[in-house]
Structures are given as structure tokens and as C-alpha cells.
């Protein structure tokens, strides 16, 4: 599904990622873990087109997508969420998700300004689809609220709903459980499973080990910019090197 | 979006009956200018209020429209409507081509680049004396006509220009309530999130810059044919600032706010003749005070203030939800 | 075809106006580096310098050195007041808000000067006569020398301050990382205030030394400010030598363009340079590019 080959990224003289290769299997939930400074977020930013890698290549279903801009990746069915959640705070919850339909609609400025018939149909469709994704994520009753007024936990779910509206093939979540309380984290785990059941490939960076071990089918461990281990949650838990890396840090 | 349509119809009715209540040609003449500035303010608001991209060179596009129309009709005898189309097309092409490098810039660099562009164009209006007549201006621009009907009175021009202004408002309102409008607002509120969701941020910025330019150019053509005389001072830096003030006063992102801003800033100096020349001070003060104390503009600020006041009177200062 | 003497002449006068642009540009850079704000009112400090000196000379009948000092002090005070009233209350505002506020401040200052002293153009006497001096085949005025000397002195003082005094170093620290500076106990707010004071003082000085050559009026600040900005952009917003070169480049090209092509388009030249730099090398001529895309 998504493959990375020998990805290296340096910032100034510092090597944040060193020769990391991986392959995320289609339809699975893959977790990326590692101590602070392991290069997880850098890897995410490279895959999702925020940075270009210094060396190495990224392939989406065999197609070279190295260094493609995020908007191009979105059109290819790749979407992500952010650690600090990036909503459109002055738009309503529903409107936020409607922006998620951008790649699935095509009316241009002229069609929109003159309200051509095709555009009206399309708008209706955007609204319906957005609403159904909101309901899928359990935010249906908040549709008309301003996104900026949502509590943090709801905001995170909204960001995921908005990403889903794109009907992605693969979704990246950067620390989805950060800042959530334990009840919200359980809800999040439920939502991630539901998304996975739709056949969408999921990759997430996460610090909450309980969550990662609970929902992920495969785990990649990074340490100091290198790939340390790869395996099922069970294999990772039993991996001595991984345990050492975490203990060494603490 | 029925409510939007209703609001628009109501506004259109008000606009069309206003002349019946206005005695004397002078005020009507001023209202014609309100119409022109409404178009210009709406054009800037699409760019600044929705996409969050500043332009301090709007007067240049306005001026280019006016000069294209003026020169093509007065010096070359072209049909005014054709000239207007050519002007709008030329400005559209210019803004589209320049938009690509310009809208790579952000914040203050964007402000300075558009400002620089505005000043370069202004200098050309002054210096290309053979074409534009230079600082002393260009006269002999004909009125617009439809068949044998000539738009040669304030009343006729009022309906002509407000017809255009209403169309501009309607199109802008439609646009802002569409997929494109949401994408523009998204760019403004989180550019990185917009990109991740597949919005081609750069191209969309360029497109809205182009639309803004074309709309300003049409306003310029209308101005030229209404006043029948143009000179560079009508298209200088101060005009760009005036437009900015209109949009800020009315409220960023509010189309009807721009109408209000255009009306206030066009009517006030006319009503208070003592302002003459000193209106620029008022703009400065308004820009500072509005941004500091009423960043949502009058359209949002007044209802908010009223609600807050009402809440205070009633509930002893309890927080009021917006 | 212009003779080499003429070219030399254009270059010399270009260098002197370029020095002025450099001073103004450094003013932009100082504020930008400590606050991230481009102060669109920068040009008005320049205008205030010239206009206030004219006022103190003619109305208050002060001798020239006293008038110059008084003008710089008042302009600096205006800078401080502006920061306190309009900038400080808006800390952490969006760039666009700050742009609009400083534009508002700029036209307000300009408007008040117009209200108080009218729209007339005023001349300031040259500091030491108008007897031309010969340099090769070209002539320069004593005022040109004043400009060079004062510019060099200001830039040197500036450098001493930023590199060798505690508060200057603190200001540089703020420009690298305001939050970290706050953590180590630097009063960031005060540094912002300082930056406005310093750049107002520098700007007004620039306005004073050029006024004898170009005359002054309430509206000279717009063009001078923009050209100073152009210098700062070429210099990559450095408050050092890059911006000095930027100013000199703009000054000389403008002077050559005016002399060899057409004087009417003189002001357009600086803006063409500005646009080209912004399009092709927005980080300035003297800085390495950044690679981050978002």
C-alpha cells in the first residue's frame, strides 16, 4: 500500500531520520512508536508532503509520491490529522467537514458564483455526504456549532471526520490520543476500528502505549532516527531492544 | 440558502426605491459613487476577508479598467461595452499572470508587493502622457449607451451602476456560500489543513485575486463612462487605503458589510464638507480603532455591542453567548 | 550617450540617497527582528525628522544642532507612543491586523502633520553651505558628505550597540527566540519598545540629513519608507551590512535610471527591483534559502 525506501532527512547538520524503510499493509492499522526525538513526526511530515526527504523515496501503491505537495496527495486518497488539531475555527462543524469534500467535487468559481444547475446539485451532495460522515463519527448533533467552540476532544474527532469526508484510502493520525481523557481515548479507539472496518488503511503516531497495543495490527518502532523494530504488538512487547530503548530514556 | 436570497431581494428593493426619496441630483450623484465603491470593496473583501490575502494595489486594477475604457473609447472611438470587456479581460490576464508570483508571498511581503505594483501602475498613468494624458487627465469619454438610450443623467447612471453592483453582490454572496467560498475561508483559517484536504491553495488564491481584479476593472470602466473624465489621482495609493478602510469598517468577510463601509466612507466626507482633504486622518483613526476595538467590523460589532449592552442591563453583566 | 563623468555623477548622488534608504531599511529590520512586524509607519518617522527640524528652526528659532536634536527626540517619542498605544495592546495579533494597524498609524501621523503644518513643501538649509566639491569629473555638495559621514556613524553606533551592550544583545536574543529570551529574564516588551524608539530615531535622522537636498513635506514618508523597505528586503531583513548594500543598490540604480532613461519613472525603478527580489529571492540577496514548504 504505502512503502518508504531508505528515507533520510537532515536539518542543518542533525540527522532526524536515517535510512528508514517500511511498508504499511493495505487495510491494516499500523502504529509508529518511539521515544521522544525518535523522528516519528518527521517521518509523518515527509510521507504526507509537508517536508521533502533529503534522500529516499515514498511509494503509494507503487507510484512514486516523494515530495509531492499535500494537496496532490489528497487527490490520490492520502489524508492526515495534526497533533495540535488544525480546524477551521470560525466555520461550523458541518462546514469543516464540507471542506473535506473538496476533492470529491469540482464546481469552479464561475459555476459557484452563477449557481449553475450542476453546482446546486453538487452542493446538496456535499452537504449530505458531510452530514453522513459527521454522523459516522458521532458528531451529528453538533453540526451547526462553530468549530472553534468545541471542547478539545470533540475537535479531534471532528478533524478525523473531516479527513474521512475525503474518502481516503489511507489516513495518517499524528498522536490522535494526545490531550484526550480516558473516556475520550476509548471512544477514539472505537472510531479508529470503525474506520478500519471500512477498509481504510490507517497509520498513527502515538505515545499512549495502551491504545497502540490495543488497536494496532502492526507496529514500527523508531529510535534516534532509525528503525529499531517492526512486528505485531506482541512481538514488540517482547522485543528486548525496544524495552531497552524506552527504559534507557526514562 | 433561501435566507441569503431573501436578504438580497430585500436589499435590491431598497436600492431600487431609494431614488424616489432622494431629492436633488447631488445626493443621487454621490450614491452613484457609493455603487462604484461597493463593487470595489466587495472585490477586495473577496480577497482579504475570505481568503485572508491582503492587496494594497486594488486602485491599480480599478485605474487600469478606467484607462482601458477611457483610452479605447475617447481616443480610438471603440464601442464602450467592447472596451469594458477588453479592459476587464486585460486586467484579468494581468492579475492571473502576476498572481502566481505575487501570491507565493505572505503577510507583509504580499502587502508590499501589491503596494509596489499599485505605485508602478500609478506612475505609468502619470508618465505615459501620449496615451493617458498624464497628470492633467483624459477627457471626452462617452457615456454608455444601449441602442439609442444614453446613460447621461445621474438617475440613469444610478440604475446602471447599481445594477452592476447588485450583480456583483449576488455573485459574491453565491460564491462565499459555495465549495469555493468554504475553501477560501479554510485557507484563511488554516492553510496547512486546507492543503491536506486537497485545496490547491496557491491556484485558488490566484483565481480569487483575478476575480477581484476583474471586478475592480469593471468598476473602473463604469467610473470612466459615468464621470467622462479620468486622471491618475483617482487611482492612487490613497484610494487603495480607502478601499481597505471600507472593508475593515464594514467587516472582513461580510459582503453587506462592504456595502455599508463603501456607503459610509463615500457619504460621510460629502455630508461633512469640512472633512475635505482631512478625510485621510479619519481613515487612519478608523483603521486603528476598528481593528483594535471592533475587529469584526460594524456589521458584527454593532449587534455584538447591542447584545452585550442588553445583557448588562438585564443580567448585570452576565456573559452573553454570540 | 552619457559620458563617464555623468555616470560618476549619477553614482555619487545615488550612493547618497542609497545611504538614506539603508538607514530607513535598517529601521524596518530592527523592528521586524524584534517583533516580526513590518512597520508601515516607518516612512512617517523619516518625514517627521525633516518636518520637525524645519519647525524647530523656523518657528522655535533654535540653532541647527539643537533643532536636529529636538526633532530626533520628538520623533522618537512619537515612535514610543505609537508602540504603546497601537502595537503593545495587540501582542500576538495576526500579521494582517498588524499591517492594517501600522498603515492606520502611518496615515494618521501623516494626516496630523498635514493638519498642523499644511501641505507646503519646506526647504531645510544645508548643514554647511552649498559650495560644490569636485570629485574626478563630478561634483558633490557638502551635504552629501554629511550624509555619508552621519550614515557611517549611525551604522557603527548601531553595530556597537547590538554587539557590545547588554540591552543590544538582549534585543538580538529576542529576535532569535522571544520565548526563550523571556525565560532567561529579558523584558521582551521593553525590547520591543526600544526597537521602536531606535528605528524612529534612525528614521528621523535619515529624514533630517536628506531634507536639504530634496526638500520635505508631509507626504515624503511614503516613498522614502517604501524604498527603505526595498533596501531591507534586498538585505534579507538584516539590520546590518546586507541592508546597507540593499539601500546603495536601490539608490544607485534609481539615480542611473533617472539620469539615463527617464526621470519620470525614477520612483518606479525601486518598485520594479522590489517586485523582482520578492518574486525571485524573497529571502534577500544575502541569505541562504529556506527549504520548508508549509
Amino acid at each position: 500500500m504505502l512503502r518508504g525506501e531508505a528515507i533520510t532527512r537532515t536539518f542543518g547538520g542533525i540527522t532526524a531520520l536515517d535510512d528508514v524503510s517500511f511498508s504499511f499493509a493495505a487495510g491494516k492499522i499500523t502504529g509508529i512508536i518511539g521515544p521522544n526525538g525518535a523522528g516519528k513526526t518527521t517521518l509523518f511530515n515527509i510521507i504526507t508532503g509537508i517536508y521533502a526527504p533529503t534522500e529516499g523515496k515514498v511509494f503509494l501503491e507503487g507510484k512514486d509520491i516523494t515530495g509531492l505537495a499535500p494537496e496532490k496527495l489528497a487527490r490520490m486518497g492520502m489524508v492526515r490529522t495534526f497533533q495540535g488539531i488544525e480546524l477551521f475555527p470560525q466555520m461550523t462543524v458541518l462546514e469543516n467537514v464540507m471542506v473535506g469534500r473538496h476533492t470529491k467535487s469540482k464546481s469552479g468559481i464561475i459555476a459557484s458564483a452563477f449557481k449553475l444547475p450542476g453546482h446546486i446539485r453538487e452542493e446538496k451532495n456535499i452537504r449530505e455526504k458531510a452530514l453522513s460522515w459527521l454522523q459516522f463519527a458521532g458528531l451529528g448533533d453538533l453540526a451547526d456549532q462553530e468549530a472553534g467552540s468545541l471542547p478539545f476532544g470533540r475537535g479531534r474527532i471532528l478533524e478525523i471526520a473531516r479527513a474521512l469526508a475525503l474518502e481516503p484510502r489511507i489516513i495518517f493520525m499524528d498522536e490522535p490520543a494526545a490531550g484526550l481523557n480516558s473516556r475520550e481515548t476509548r471512544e477514539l479507539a472505537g472510531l479508529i476500528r470503525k474506520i478500519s472496518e471500512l477498509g481504510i488503511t490507517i497509520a498513527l503516531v502515538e505515545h499512549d502505549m495502551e491504545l497502540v497495543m490495543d488497536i494496532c495490527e502492526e507496529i514500527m518502532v523508531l529510535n534516534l532516527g532509525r528503525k529499531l523494530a517492526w512486528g505485531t504488538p506482541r512481538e514488540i512487547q517482547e522485543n528486548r531492544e525496544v524495552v531497552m530503548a524506552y527504559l534507557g530514556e526514562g | 440558502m433561501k435566507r441569503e436570497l431573501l436578504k438580497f431581494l430585500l436589499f435590491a428593493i431598497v436600492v431600487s426605491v431609494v431614488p424616489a426619496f432622494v431629492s436633488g441630483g447631488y445626493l443621487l450623484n454621490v450614491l452613484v459613487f457609493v455603487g462604484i465603491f461597493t463593487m470595489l470593496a466587495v472585490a477586495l473583501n473577496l480577497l482579504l476577508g475570505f481568503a485572508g490575502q491582503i492587496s494594497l494595489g486594488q486602485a491599480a486594477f480599478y485605474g487600469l479598467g478606467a484607462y482601458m475604457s477611457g483610452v479605447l473609447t475617447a481616443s480610438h472611438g471603440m464601442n464602450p461595452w467592447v472596451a469594458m470587456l477588453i479592459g476587464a479581460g486585460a486586467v484579468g490576464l494581468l492579475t492571473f499572470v502576476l498572481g502566481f508570483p505575487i501570491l507565493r508571498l505572505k503577510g507583509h511581503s504580499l502587502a508590499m508587493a501589491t503596494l509596489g505594483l499599485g505605485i508602478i501602475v500609478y506612475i505609468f498613468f502619470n508618465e505615459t502622457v501620449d496615451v493617458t494624458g498624464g497628470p492633467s487627465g483624459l477627457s471626452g469619454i462617452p457615456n454608455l449607451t444601449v441602442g439609442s438610450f444614453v446613460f447621461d443623467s445621474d438617475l440613469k447612471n444610478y440604475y446602471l451602476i447599481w445594477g452592476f453592483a447588485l450583480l456583483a453582490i449576488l455573485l459574491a454572496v453565491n460564491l462565499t456560500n459555495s465549495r469555493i467560498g468554504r475553501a477560501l475561508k479554510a485557507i484563511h483559517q488554516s492553510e496547512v489543513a486546507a492543503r491536506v484536504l486537497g485545496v490547491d491553495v496557491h491556484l485558488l488564491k490566484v483565481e480569487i485575486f483575478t476575480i477581484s481584479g476583474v471586478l475592480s476593472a469593471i468598476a473602473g470602466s463604469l467610473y470612466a463612462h459615468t464621470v467622462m473624465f479620468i486622471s491618475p489621482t483617482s487611482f492612487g495609493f490613497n484610494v487603495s487605503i480607502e478601499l481597505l478602510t471600507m472593508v475593515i469598517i464594514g467587516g472582513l468577510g461580510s459582503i453587506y458589510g462592504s456595502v455599508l463601509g463603501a456607503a459610509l466612507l463615500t457619504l460621510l466626507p460629502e455630508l461633512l464638507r469640512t472633512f475635505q482633504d482631512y478625510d485621510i486622518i479619519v481613515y487612519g483613526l478608523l483603521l486603528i480603532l476598528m481593528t483594535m476595538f471592533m475587529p469584526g467590523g460594524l456589521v458584527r460589532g454593532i449587534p455584538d455591542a447591542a447584545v452585550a449592552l442588553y445583557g448588562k442591563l438585564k443580567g448585570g453583566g452576565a456573559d452573553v453567548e454570540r | 550617450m552619457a559620458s563617464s563623468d555623468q555616470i560618476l555623477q549619477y553614482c555619487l548622488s545615488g550612493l547618497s540617497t542609497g545611504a538614506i534608504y539603508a538607514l530607513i531599511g535598517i529601521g524596518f529590520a530592527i523592528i521586524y527582528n524584534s517583533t516580526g512586524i513590518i512597520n508601515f509607519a516607518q516612512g512617517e518617522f523619516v518625514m517627521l525628522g525633516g518636518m520637525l527640524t524645519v519647525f524647530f528652526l523656523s518657528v522655535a528659532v533654535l540653532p541647527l544642532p539643537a533643532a536636529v536634536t529636538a526633532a530626533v527626540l520628538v520623533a522618537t517619542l512619537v515612535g514610543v507612543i505609537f508602540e504603546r498605544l497601537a502595537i503593545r495592546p495587540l501582542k500576538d495579533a495576526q500579521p494582517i491586523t498588524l499591517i492594517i494597524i501600522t498603515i492606520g498609524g502611518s496615515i494618521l501621523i501623516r494626516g496630523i502633520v498635514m493638519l498642523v503644518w499644511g501641505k507646503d513643501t519646506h526647504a531645510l538649509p544645508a548643514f554647511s553651505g552649498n559650495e560644490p566639491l569636485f570629485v574626478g569629473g563630478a561634483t558633490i555638495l557638502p551635504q552629501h558628505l554629511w550624509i555619508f559621514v552621519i550614515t557611517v556613524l549611525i551604522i557603527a553606533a548601531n553595530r556597537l550597540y547590538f554587539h557590545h551592550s547588554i540591552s543590544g544583545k538582549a534585543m538580538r536574543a529576542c529576535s532569535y527566540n522571544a520565548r526563550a529570551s523571556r525565560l532567561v529574564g529579558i523584558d521582551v516588551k521593553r525590547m520591543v519598545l526600544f526597537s521602536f524608539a531606535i528605528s524612529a530615531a534612525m528614521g528621523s535622522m535619515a529624514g533630517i540629513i536628506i531634507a536639504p537636498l530634496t526638500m520635505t513635506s508631509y507626504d515624503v514618508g511614503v516613498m522614502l519608507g517604501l524604498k527603505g523597505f526595498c533596501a531591507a528586503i534586498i538585505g534579507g531583513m538584516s539590520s546590518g551590512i546586507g541592508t546597507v548594500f540593499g539601500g546603495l543598490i536601490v539608490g544607485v540604480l534609481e539615480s542611473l535610471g533617472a539620469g539615463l532613461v527617464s526621470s519620470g519613472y525614477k520612483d518606479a525603478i525601486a518598485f520594479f527591483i522590489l517586485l523582482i527580489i520578492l518574486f525571485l529571492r524573497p529571502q534577500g540577496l544575502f541569505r541562504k534559502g529556506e527549504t520548508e514548504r508549509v
Side-chain angles (χ1 to χ4, degrees):
Chain A
M1 175 78 196
L2 187 103
R3 199 156 51 82
E5 265 177 22
I7 292 173
T8 298
R9 167 79 201 204
T10 54
F11 292 102
I14 297 152
T15 306
L17 279 179
D18 187 7
D19 195 26
V20 175
S21 296
F22 56 86
S23 175
F24 297 157
K28 289 207 168 150
I29 306 176
T30 308
I32 302 168
I33 62 170
N36 284 325
K40 306 179 297 281
T41 297
T42 307
L43 181 66
F44 248 42
N45 283 339
I46 286 173
I47 298 172
T48 55
I50 311 282
Y51 307 141
T54 313
E55 272 172 65
K57 287 201 178 311
V58 188
F59 298 92
L60 178 64
E61 291 181 335
K63 226 190 253 167
D64 187 351
I65 58 163
T66 319
L68 282 188
E71 58 266 27
K72 295 231 170 66
L73 296 173
R75 295 197 170 274
M76 300 171 79
M78 183 199 279
V79 68
R80 69 168 287 175
T81 65
F82 293 87
Q83 196 179 329
I85 58 174
E86 289 279 345
L87 295 175
F88 308 123
Q90 285 143 42
M91 294 163 82
T92 67
V93 167
L94 180 63
E95 282 174 328
N96 264 269
V97 184
M98 287 168 85
V99 177
R101 297 297 297 172
H102 194 82
T103 57
K104 297 282 172 201
S105 46
K106 56 182 195 301
S107 294
I109 288 186
I110 302 297
S112 302
F114 287 93
K115 281 204 169 179
L116 301 183
H119 165 73
I120 295 176
R121 246 177 287 128
E122 194 178 78
E123 278 290 309
K124 202 164 153 243
N125 181 276
I126 291 175
R127 184 171 291 271
E128 282 165 4
K129 282 276 167 50
L131 206 55
S132 80
W133 282 112
L134 261 188
Q135 278 153 359
F136 175 86
L139 296 178
D141 45 343
L142 297 177
D144 294 324
Q145 226 174 313
E146 207 171 65
S149 70
L150 289 186
F152 189 81
R154 302 278 96 183
R156 176 136 275 155
I157 302 293
L158 171 58
E159 201 190 14
I160 296 174
R162 191 180 64 183
L164 287 173
L166 204 109
E167 292 173 16
R169 289 190 285 175
I170 181 163
I171 179 167
F172 288 83
M173 301 184 195
D174 194 356
E175 299 203 22
L180 300 190
N181 62 34
S182 55
R183 186 180 50 82
E184 288 169 332
T185 307
R186 275 197 306 280
E187 283 173 18
L188 175 74
L191 179 60
I192 293 177
R193 283 212 186 83
K194 245 170 91 183
I195 297 168
S196 183
E197 279 161 19
L198 297 175
I200 297 171
T201 310
I202 300 169
L204 49 95
V205 162
E206 187 50 68
H207 274 300
D208 184 333
M209 281 308 142
E210 211 179 312
L211 177 72
V212 172
M213 296 303 166
D214 179 23
I215 61 172
C216 292
E217 292 153 277
E218 291 194 329
I219 294 174
M220 168 159 77
V221 187
L222 291 179
N223 188 32
L224 302 171
R226 288 174 159 276
K227 188 167 83 176
L228 188 65
W230 179 284
T232 63
R234 202 186 176 88
E235 287 163 359
I236 295 299
Q237 274 167 321
E238 288 164 357
N239 186 314
R240 274 189 61 86
E241 271 184 282
V242 174
V243 176
M244 288 297 287
Y246 271 91
L247 287 180
E249 189 210 27
Chain B
M1 292 295 104
K2 288 242 159 53
R3 234 181 52 202
E4 284 296 343
L5 193 64
L6 204 67
K7 213 160 59 168
F8 175 76
L9 286 177
L10 210 67
F11 180 69
I13 290 169
V14 171
V15 166
S16 48
V17 299
V18 157
F21 298 96
V22 174
S23 54
Y26 178 67
L27 188 56
L28 201 59
N29 179 268
V30 176
L31 288 175
V32 170
F33 287 102
V34 174
I36 291 173
F37 276 97
T38 292
M39 291 179 74
L40 292 167
V42 166
L44 177 59
N45 202 356
L46 284 176
L47 188 67
L48 179 62
F50 289 93
Q53 307 302 307
I54 199 166
S55 165
L56 298 178
Q58 292 298 104
F61 311 134
Y62 174 44
L64 282 171
Y67 271 102
M68 290 289 270
S69 276
V71 171
L72 289 178
T73 55
S75 316
H76 300 277
M78 191 183 276
N79 177 303
W81 295 104
V82 178
M84 184 187 290
L85 263 181
I86 294 178
V91 171
L93 192 67
L94 179 80
T95 43
F96 188 70
V97 171
L98 282 179
F100 280 93
I102 282 192
L103 289 154
R104 287 249 174 255
L105 305 170
K106 286 183 181 160
H108 56 82
S109 303
L110 177 63
M112 284 293 186
T114 49
L115 174 53
L117 183 66
I119 292 182
I120 291 174
V121 171
Y122 178 73
I123 290 171
F124 272 85
F125 289 155
N126 273 299
E127 295 302 321
T128 50
V129 181
D130 295 343
V131 183
T132 62
S136 49
L138 182 73
S139 54
I141 304 168
N143 281 124
L144 283 161
T145 52
V146 173
S148 59
F149 185 85
V150 186
F151 290 93
D152 55 359
S153 73
D154 283 335
L155 189 65
K156 290 175 190 168
N157 277 319
Y158 175 89
Y159 282 108
L160 170 74
I161 280 168
W162 274 100
F164 273 91
L166 284 172
L167 184 64
I169 292 169
L170 181 65
L171 296 183
V173 168
N174 283 347
L175 192 61
T176 56
N177 290 313
S178 72
R179 165 181 185 267
I180 298 288
R182 285 187 300 272
L184 289 173
K185 285 181 241 176
I187 294 175
H188 191 6
Q189 295 173 31
S190 169
E191 189 164 323
V192 67
R195 292 186 65 185
V196 163
L197 295 174
V199 177
D200 191 334
V201 167
H202 185 229
L203 183 65
L204 197 55
K205 282 181 188 173
V206 173
E207 285 180 1
I208 203 72
F209 184 61
T210 309
I211 296 289
S212 178
V214 169
L215 192 52
S216 305
I218 295 175
S221 294
L222 291 171
Y223 173 83
H225 291 298
T226 309
V227 182
M228 304 167 81
F229 166 81
I230 50 177
S231 71
T233 48
S234 311
F235 313 108
F237 177 49
N238 281 352
V239 178
S240 291
I241 294 296
E242 204 178 328
L243 292 173
L244 180 70
T245 317
M246 288 172 181
V247 173
I248 303 276
I249 286 185
L252 286 170
S254 162
I255 298 293
Y256 292 99
S258 293
V259 182
L260 182 66
L264 279 178
L265 279 204
T266 318
L267 287 171
L268 270 184
E270 297 292 339
L271 296 179
L272 308 169
R273 296 302 284 175
T274 45
F275 262 3
Q276 197 79 56
D277 275 357
Y278 300 112
D279 49 358
I280 193 85
I281 303 179
V282 180
Y283 297 160
L285 263 179
L286 282 175
L287 278 179
I288 295 183
L289 295 179
M290 291 298 297
T291 347
M292 288 178 84
F293 299 112
M294 221 182 252
L298 290 178
V299 163
R300 277 183 286 268
I302 289 181
D304 281 2
V307 169
L309 189 68
Y310 179 72
K312 238 181 213 162
L313 293 177
K314 206 179 163 198
D319 269 7
V320 181
E321 216 172 304
R322 220 149 68 92
Chain C
M1 200 57 219
S3 70
S4 59
D5 284 351
Q6 264 175 312
I7 304 256
L8 180 65
Q9 181 71 59
Y10 296 141
C11 286
L12 279 174
S13 54
L15 284 174
S16 78
T17 42
I20 300 293
Y21 300 157
L23 283 184
I24 304 168
I26 291 174
F28 269 108
I30 289 174
I31 291 182
Y32 178 76
N33 288 333
S34 70
T35 62
I37 297 170
I38 287 297
N39 174 26
F40 279 74
Q42 192 64 25
E44 307 314 322
F45 298 140
V46 183
M47 176 274 289
L48 277 175
M51 289 299 279
L52 284 165
T53 310
V54 169
F55 167 78
F56 284 122
L57 271 182
S58 59
V59 181
V61 217
L62 294 178
L64 185 71
V68 168
T69 315
V72 172
L73 285 178
V74 174
T76 309
L77 189 67
V78 172
V80 168
I81 293 172
F82 180 57
E83 195 276 339
R84 290 305 283 265
L85 292 186
I87 305 294
R88 189 172 293 192
L90 281 179
K91 232 14 203 142
D92 303 324
Q94 284 202 337
I96 215 150
T97 310
L98 292 164
I99 291 170
I100 291 165
I101 284 272
T102 57
I103 289 177
S106 149
I107 56 186
L108 187 61
I109 294 172
R110 194 185 319 148
I112 291 172
V113 169
M114 178 176 80
L115 195 65
V116 176
W117 291 310
K119 288 179 152 185
D120 295 337
T121 303
H122 301 271
L124 195 63
F127 293 2
S128 48
N130 285 316
E131 198 68 35
L133 310 163
F134 291 88
V135 179
T139 59
I140 58 170
L141 296 169
Q143 191 64 29
H144 286 121
L145 292 180
W146 276 105
I147 290 176
F148 291 129
V149 171
I150 291 177
T151 304
V152 169
L153 284 179
I154 292 178
I155 289 167
N158 202 30
R159 196 169 168 79
L160 271 178
Y161 174 73
F162 279 108
H163 288 262
H164 298 280
S165 78
I166 296 289
S167 69
K169 284 179 182 169
M171 278 181 68
R172 273 169 60 217
C174 291
S175 75
Y176 293 127
N177 189 334
R179 194 190 291 170
S181 307
R182 199 170 293 136
L183 287 176
V184 299
I186 295 173
D187 185 347
V188 175
K189 276 187 186 162
R190 202 180 151 125
M191 293 302 139
V192 170
L193 187 67
F194 271 16
S195 72
F196 270 83
I198 294 174
S199 63
M202 283 178 67
S204 60
M205 200 62 215
I208 294 169
I209 54 182
I210 195 166
L213 292 177
T214 58
M215 315 267 270
T216 187
S217 67
Y218 78 101
D219 60 352
V220 297
V222 185
M223 277 298 168
L224 286 172
L226 290 171
K227 288 172 187 170
F229 175 79
C230 187
I233 281 285
I234 295 177
M237 279 293 153
S238 86
S239 48
I241 205 74
T243 298
V244 175
F245 277 122
L248 297 179
I249 291 171
V250 175
V252 169
L253 285 181
E254 190 179 88
S255 169
L256 285 173
L260 303 177
V261 186
S262 148
S263 62
Y265 291 101
K266 176 175 153 254
D267 287 334
I269 292 169
F271 296 109
F272 272 118
I273 302 173
L274 177 68
L275 285 180
I276 289 167
I277 297 280
L278 283 175
F279 290 173
L280 300 180
R281 277 191 72 85
Q283 72 276 27
L285 287 183
F286 307 105
R287 227 177 237 193
K288 282 205 184 125
E290 321 264 300
T291 49
E292 210 162 303
R293 285 217 316 240
V294 173

